[in-house]
Amino acid sequence: MLDLSHHGRDDEKRMQKGVYLSMETATSEQRLCDFVGHSRFFPVGRRPFQSNMKSPRALVEALPPLKLNAEEEVELQRLAESFVLSNLSQYLELSEGVRKTGTSPKEWRELRQKESIRVYTQRSKKKSDSAVEEPSVPSLLLFGTVAGCLNDVMYAVAASNDVDIQVKSKFVQDGIVDAKVLCEVVRPSINEPFAHVNVTWRLYAVPEARDYICVEASGIATTAEGESIGYHIAHSVAFPQLQPFRDADVERGNLSVCALYRQRAPNSVECYVHGFFDFQEEDTVLSAISMNAMANQWLSFSHLIQCSEMKKLVWRLRKKAAQLADTCSSSGSSFDSVEATRRRSSAAKPASHCSVCTKSLGFMSTGKKHCRVCDRTVCSRCNLKKTVCTVKPLIGTAILEKKFAVCAPCHQEIVKSDALAVARDEIHLRGCTRDSDWWSVSE
Ligand SMILES: [Zn+2]
Ligand SMILES: [Zn+2]
């Protein structure tokens, strides 16, 4: 676990200057992009326009393998850590300011709002404010709350393999059309199921095809006061073996995004996301369009709790399948409550009445459905049609959204289940399952 109480004074000084990655920590080849506050981008050449954008899968196939040595892996972990630390101090300052004044900071202009989430862009500085013009790296800020628990947010956020990233993107609509984990540095564990560090490739299509190579990390950090802060970062890195695609109409962009989450009330998680973007776009109008597209995609943060519920439902169905098959089952059966077992045993008889509201289902009733979790028959009003992401077996790449019948009591039980315990059990269950198989829930 990332312990925030031990970071040194040097780190603090470095962060106050707004520099989270000094050149001393970068390698001699300058492989790590260092652009926040510096605008010192890794040189990525622009290519002449070609209208032969390959399919995302063809691009994925063309990505060469990435092997890192132990030293490089440690370096990436350090980069992720210092990036979280520098953002944390900025977040705490902003959060305190908003709490005291009740208004958002003046230097930010609101771009979008959805539920309790607001997305801002930095106001452009007037030339008279300073003699030297600041380097302008477009940035976005998201600040607000989502209704739920920190563990639920982290369960949704911590997508650490190709299929999980694609499922999350499909469900929350964050704009990622395809993604690939190029190198796993830290895998989620039973101990820390929300923690991972990876090097990933992601492709966006709106407003135009643009890809990013990033170090991504998530986890829960603990402050000196013992408070838990969830984090998820993505920061552009460059490797000589991962050059931009030459024969496809895809621009390589740079981004640096840090999301922090904190439980502020029993059912309220504060969200702070700060991101810098270099779209490799000389045209300021096109750059502004890209920025607005990104702001739209950031509204997807409001869907994290629903994403967690969907993942919990898939876990519940996997758990049920494992128990039925009596293989790969967890030793602790605390999730299979006595109530759920009772519901299942009562499902065997042909039902004439709804198992939840006892309404008569009538002869040849068309509205009745079987709950996917407990198998009981429910009327159309007691059937909560829940959206579940599935992967077609054998095809293994296309993510489909299906509506599954779930009765209200089963849904309540799933929503209330602790996401941390679910995530731990999921790692245990997935120990003997392929990632695509986990999501190929039969219809
Ligand atoms: Zn009913
Ligand atoms: Zn049910």
Side-chain angles (χ1 to χ4, degrees):
M1 183 176 285
L2 179 52
D3 185 351
L4 303 176
S5 57
H6 297 307
H7 71 275
R9 287 190 156 269
D10 284 353
D11 279 339
E12 276 173 31
K13 270 188 203 155
R14 206 143 48 87
M15 278 156 225
Q16 279 161 11
K17 283 191 280 176
V19 183
Y20 63 89
L21 175 67
S22 67
M23 289 320 292
E24 298 93 88
T25 57
T27 59
S28 54
E29 302 97 82
Q30 241 179 289
R31 285 183 292 101
L32 303 173
C33 294
D34 174 22
F35 61 94
V36 175
H38 273 236
S39 288
R40 190 159 46 209
F41 296 98
F42 185 80
V44 179
R46 288 182 61 83
R47 294 165 304 289
F49 177 80
Q50 286 173 301
S51 57
N52 58 342
M53 157 83 184
K54 287 187 176 177
S55 77
R57 274 292 113 182
L59 295 176
V60 168
E61 305 294 326
L63 286 163
L66 178 67
K67 288 240 183 314
L68 299 178
N69 60 39
E71 213 172 278
E72 289 169 318
E73 290 191 353
V74 168
E75 195 184 329
L76 284 177
Q77 288 178 69
R78 268 206 211 116
L79 165 65
E81 218 166 280
S82 60
F83 187 42
V84 172
L85 286 171
S86 67
N87 271 277
L88 187 74
S89 48
Q90 289 165 25
Y91 155 62
L92 293 174
E93 201 177 303
L94 181 107
S95 176
E96 189 63 14
V98 170
R99 200 182 59 81
K100 274 185 185 160
T101 62
T103 56
S104 46
K106 282 183 185 144
E107 63 267 32
W108 294 97
R109 180 169 59 85
E110 190 177 314
L111 275 184
R112 300 280 186 283
Q113 193 212 334
K114 189 175 184 190
E115 293 155 25
S116 304
I117 293 280
R118 285 183 158 83
V119 181
Y120 306 87
T121 184
Q122 198 147 27
R123 289 183 200 277
S124 48
K125 282 185 181 167
K126 286 177 192 162
K127 276 188 180 172
S128 57
D129 285 356
S130 66
V132 188
E133 235 187 297
E134 295 275 320
S136 63
V137 182
S139 66
L140 283 180
L141 173 77
L142 177 148
F143 194 70
T145 55
V146 291
C149 299
L150 177 61
N151 282 341
D152 276 299
V153 170
M154 292 313 293
Y155 186 40
V157 158
S160 62
N161 61 66
D162 297 355
V163 187
D164 284 25
I165 297 169
Q166 288 156 22
V167 163
K168 180 194 162 201
S169 295
K170 174 88 177 176
F171 191 87
V172 304
Q173 299 285 306
D174 62 6
I176 297 174
V177 289
D178 213 334
K180 185 178 169 63
V181 174
L182 301 170
C183 179
E184 284 184 314
V185 180
V186 176
R187 279 175 175 228
S189 64
I190 300 265
N191 231 4
E192 293 187 57
F194 303 139
H196 84 277
V197 180
N198 283 342
V199 177
T200 57
W201 171 84
R202 26 162 119 174
L203 177 71
Y204 290 79
V206 177
E208 56 184 344
R210 193 171 279 126
D211 69 350
Y212 301 88
I213 307 273
C214 294
V215 55
E216 283 201 43
S218 70
I220 294 185
T222 311
T223 63
E225 290 78 33
E227 196 173 12
S228 296
I229 310 261
Y231 63 87
H232 182 215
I233 62 132
H235 182 84
S236 280
V237 284
F239 296 93
Q241 61 270 51
L242 291 164
Q243 292 296 315
F245 290 108
R246 296 279 163 210
D247 54 349
D249 190 25
V250 180
E251 294 285 341
R252 174 71 44 87
N254 290 310
L255 59 73
S256 174
V257 178
C258 177
L260 298 171
Y261 307 99
R262 179 161 60 146
Q263 193 86 52
R264 294 295 266 170
N267 194 41
S268 178
V269 177
E270 191 166 75
C271 307
Y272 163 95
V273 191
H274 194 192
F276 291 87
F277 302 92
D278 164 28
F279 298 115
Q280 293 289 314
E281 188 57 74
E282 283 147 20
D283 188 322
T284 51
V285 175
L286 288 178
S287 183
I289 290 170
S290 295
M291 199 62 173
N292 273 285
M294 202 51 96
N296 282 339
Q297 286 155 7
W298 274 27
L299 294 175
S300 64
F301 281 90
S302 64
H303 300 143
L304 289 175
I305 297 293
Q306 289 100 304
C307 182
S308 171
E309 282 177 16
M310 185 274 288
K311 286 180 80 173
K312 281 177 176 178
L313 174 56
V314 170
W315 160 81
R316 191 66 192 82
L317 297 174
R318 283 271 148 226
K319 183 89 181 159
K320 179 185 164 190
Q323 281 164 339
L324 286 176
D326 199 28
T327 54
C328 198
S329 63
S330 165
S331 53
S333 60
S334 56
F335 294 107
D336 199 25
S337 68
V338 177
E339 173 60 18
T341 313
R342 191 192 63 74
R343 271 184 237 144
R344 263 206 305 281
S345 62
S346 72
K349 305 159 218 150
S352 56
H353 293 79
C354 169
S355 304
V356 177
C357 70
T358 71
K359 194 185 96 177
S360 171
L361 291 168
F363 183 64
M364 300 275 285
S365 169
T366 49
K368 66 180 179 186
K369 290 278 181 201
H370 294 280
C371 168
R372 292 293 301 251
V373 180
C374 68
D375 297 325
R376 291 188 307 169
T377 313
V378 289
C379 72
S380 57
R381 289 183 66 175
C382 297
N383 164 27
L384 308 176
K385 300 181 197 85
K386 302 311 287 181
T387 302
V388 169
C389 287
T390 69
V391 176
K392 266 223 151 103
L394 303 176
I395 298 173
T397 50
I399 313 290
L400 308 167
E401 283 186 326
K402 300 274 178 199
K403 292 277 186 195
F404 279 14
V406 180
C407 76
C410 282
H411 180 249
Q412 264 306 305
E413 199 174 285
I414 288 164
V415 168
K416 281 185 187 160
S417 55
D418 174 19
L420 180 63
V422 168
R424 285 186 169 140
D425 195 59
E426 180 180 321
I427 289 176
H428 174 85
L429 286 172
R430 286 176 87 155
C432 43
T433 312
R434 281 195 320 171
D435 290 330
S436 56
D437 288 348
W438 177 263
W439 293 102
S440 62
V441 187
S442 61
E443 287 175 49

